[in-house]
Amino acid sequence: MLVRFDELRGTLERALLRLGVTGERAALSSRLIAEADRDGVHTHGIARFPLFADMITAGHLSATAEPTVTARFGALERWNGNLGPGNLAAHAAMARAMELAAQHGLGGVAMANTAHWQRGGTYGWQAAEAGFAAICWTNTLPNLPPWGATTPALGNNPLVIAIPREGDGGPAPIVLDMAMSQYSYGTLAAYRQRGQALPFAGGFDAAGELTTDAGAIETSRRALPIGLWKGSGLSFALDVLGAMLADGQATYQIPNDFTQEMGLSQVFLAMSPEALRSNEGMRAIASEAIAFLHAAEPIVAGRPARYPGERTLETRAENLAKGVPVPEAPWATTQRLAAGEVRVAPVDRGPLGFAER
Amino acid sequence: MLVRFDELRGTLERALLRLGVTGERAALSSRLIAEADRDGVHTHGIARFPLFADMITAGHLSATAEPTVTARFGALERWNGNLGPGNLAAHAAMARAMELAAQHGLGGVAMANTAHWQRGGTYGWQAAEAGFAAICWTNTLPNLPPWGATTPALGNNPLVIAIPREGDGGPAPIVLDMAMSQYSYGTLAAYRQRGQALPFAGGFDAAGELTTDAGAIETSRRALPIGLWKGSGLSFALDVLGAMLADGQATYQIPNDFTQEMGLSQVFLAMSPEALRSNEGMRAIASEAIAFLHAAEPIVAGRPARYPGERTLETRAENLAKGVPVPEAPWATTQRLAAGEVRVAPVDRGPLGFAER
């Protein structure tokens, strides 16, 4: 189904207001969610909104909680997300990391006790559109077996790297947004439902053999880390480093239940625009590197290698022109929430982030 | 061949002195090289020393050049490596990143115009043993096809993440040291020479099929990025970000010839010990996360999943006790250099890093 961007955003905003997210915060959160679908990241747009609404209604998250600073180390701050809306907390954390970077060259916020940030690339685009480079990551519940084991003990811990670049029509940044699993469970489900084999092995089947059968991986729960032992190690290192900087939970402390995935640890690092410039101004290096990438001999004639984020601007333009494709069930739920047709009971939360029922 | 650590280090030191690396610098460089072999990282220890000696002798690198600061942005500095010994420049850069982090919470050095840093993990261990966390990476010459192409346009751009941890007998950090290719060309050559298939597909053969035949990948030059399109994007992002921060060369500007691999860009980020502690002191999170990883059901009974760096301390203890295994040809070359039996002609270099012949 195609929905105009403004209608998508406005409906989300009204639903957020019903859930108790107030004023400017509902406007910003709805924009960030709608932008994920606008940019083609449908797994992390409105598709996640019913789960968010359930977590608010159940009192697991607070609609009104805002992050607070718990320690300052100069260019690096430690925050508590206070179990408020994860996208608002992450957006505030990246904004603060940029302020710190503007002052110190480098800036960082490590945030404990926060909720799912939804689309990770959001915070990369936020930084790069403002002229900052950024590196950020989050941990998750345990959803990935470490290399050499069959049971989940790692998160897929998405990592984002963003680099500002000016295109002909405005910002055209490089934005990498990747989880540490080769395929997400959402992607596996989509392949199974279409009856298609994965293009490349995505995990192990019950017999311990690498397989392109998405359903077999859903059953075994043995999805493949990127780069096998390498992504397994990278995921572990990001988790531990993030939890230590944030003084927050590591993956081993997070319940393995996506309806309870909260109390996450996240890190936001920003580098100032000044530190990305040479004496001649912002260098053309990003554009020249892209040209070099495009000049590599393609496997399929006419389809050159792409840089991270390359499809985004095209997808965005198309969806703004023709309407944003949205998944039907979450859209219907959101419309009902916005119209007040679903009973919701936002719960007030104490300072420790626990629901007071 | 097994060589005592002290003999290995001392022989390297004498060879470095013959090459024109002076005093304390020869002592440090020889230690860093010998420690790579001591820790089992034989691809990046003495095996690379003859190439380093050739580059000094040919005047591509300067034995005496030291890095200089070219710009300061508070917690972040930009350096020029001045084409001196890459391990000495990287060690100095990480030491400075730690100084900056001690002052600002976060600290960074982005270095242009430097040489191969040899073992990347060196700088992770350096930071973690001093109580700092670190993230560092380097770019390389183009040695990896981007996803979707058949010709090299990416470096394998090693990435290091280090996290301090106290073990029973002293520092027992988590140190990830990974290149963006699934297997290095050194590993591919070793499998071919032994006539063994790779345990997992490591690239494409000439027909464009994924293969475990190491020789076929050496021929096609189509090694596989970790995580396929994901590692391809990560490698590209690290390259561009590093070159922009350093105001240095990106992979597309580096000659595709390992005897000329210089003028690299590297980034060293450090986080202060203070920012890794909670009110209760350095948290046990790293050890608890390791215990959780070890508790995952192993594929092979009795062989639990390992954390990055886990084997290092065992390997180190064994090699210190029994002698360090060293590859014979580089060891013989190093011994001849140390004895003055190989004619070397160190060349003085001007301030721009160009040999003055």
Side-chain angles (χ1 to χ4, degrees), chain B residues 122-307:
Chain B
T122 294
Y123 318 105
W125 281 88
Q126 175 189 357
E129 287 183 344
F132 291 76
I135 300 175
C136 55
W137 69 91
T138 183
N139 63 9
T140 71
L141 56 78
N143 56 16
L144 193 65
W147 189 251
T150 62
T151 53
L154 297 173
N156 65 356
N157 301 350
L159 171 67
V160 175
I161 302 181
I163 303 165
R165 184 175 78 97
E166 282 303 311
D168 295 333
I174 296 164
V175 182
L176 177 79
D177 176 5
M178 60 177 247
M180 297 296 141
S181 49
Q182 188 67 60
Y183 297 101
S184 69
Y185 277 105
T187 301
L188 295 178
Y191 273 89
R192 173 179 44 76
Q193 285 159 9
R194 292 198 301 263
Q196 284 185 338
L198 298 167
F200 297 92
F204 296 97
D205 62 20
E209 299 295 327
L210 281 177
T211 182
T212 58
D213 177 346
I217 300 163
E218 291 178 295
T219 303
S220 71
R221 310 299 289 177
R222 290 181 62 187
L224 205 59
I226 62 164
L228 315 179
W229 56 91
K230 291 191 170 187
S232 178
L234 178 56
S235 184
F236 183 77
L238 291 174
D239 175 41
V240 175
L241 179 55
M244 285 176 72
L245 288 170
D247 193 19
Q249 294 192 114
T251 288
Y252 73 90
Q253 297 167 299
I254 301 168
N256 190 356
D257 171 354
F258 71 92
T259 69
Q260 309 255 341
E261 188 182 35
M262 60 192 114
L264 305 179
S265 298
Q266 298 171 351
V267 177
F268 302 84
L269 300 176
M271 294 115 190
S272 81
E274 196 193 354
L276 300 165
R277 284 194 200 99
S278 70
N279 289 335
E280 297 83 43
M282 182 76 81
R283 284 181 56 202
I285 186 169
S287 295
E288 289 173 9
I290 288 170
F292 188 70
L293 190 80
H294 285 167
E297 184 68 27
I299 293 175
V300 178
R303 291 183 55 185
R306 288 179 178 260
Y307 68 85

Side-chain angles (χ1 to χ4, degrees), chain A residues 29-40:
Chain A
S29 178
S30 63
R31 174 169 73 77
L32 300 180
I33 299 168
E35 286 178 352
D37 284 296
R38 178 201 67 184
D39 288 357

Side-chain angles (χ1 to χ4, degrees), chain A residues 79-101:
Chain A
W79 285 21
N80 184 335
N82 293 314
L83 294 179
N87 62 351
L88 291 172
H91 191 271
M94 183 57 88
R96 179 62 182 150
M98 290 192 280
E99 280 182 5
L100 290 164

Side-chain angles (χ1 to χ4, degrees), chain A residues 228-288:
Chain A
L228 315 179
W229 56 92
K230 292 191 171 187
S232 177
L234 178 56
S235 184
F236 183 77
L238 291 173
D239 175 41
V240 175
L241 179 55
M244 285 176 71
L245 288 170
D247 192 18
Q249 293 192 115
T251 288
Y252 74 87
Q253 296 167 300
I254 302 168
N256 190 357
D257 171 353
F258 71 91
T259 69
Q260 308 255 343
E261 189 183 35
M262 60 192 111
L264 305 179
S265 297
Q266 298 171 350
V267 177
F268 302 83
L269 300 176
M271 294 117 191
S272 81
E274 195 192 354
L276 300 164
R277 285 193 198 99
S278 69
N279 289 334
E280 297 82 42
M282 183 76 81
R283 285 181 57 203
I285 186 169
S287 295
E288 290 172 10

